[in-house]
Amino acid sequence: METNTPENTAAHRPEPLPQRWAIILIGGFAAGAAVFALAGTLAALGAAAATVIGLHQLIA
């Protein structure tokens, strides 16, 4: 029987998302939303992907 000790519960928690990835994904979402309002779905996907790739190369 496992007890609910900090050692046992910490092993089952997923690793938190690093702050840099949160910034990268939010930037991609914002760029995609802005382009979607102006140009449509396909352009928004391209802008979001390009933003995420660019920020990843810049930050990471």
Side-chain angles (χ1 to χ4, degrees):
M1 180 169 95
E2 288 187 31
T3 59
N4 214 8
T5 63
E7 294 83 19
N8 288 340
T9 56
H12 297 292
R13 291 187 193 144
E15 184 177 336
L17 186 67
Q19 184 178 6
R20 69 173 182 228
W21 276 108
I23 293 169
I24 290 169
L25 294 176
I26 289 170
F29 177 78
V35 173
F36 178 75
L38 297 173
T41 306
L42 190 58
L45 289 174
T51 302
V52 168
I53 291 170
L55 285 174
H56 173 62
Q57 289 179 352
L58 184 70
I59 295 174

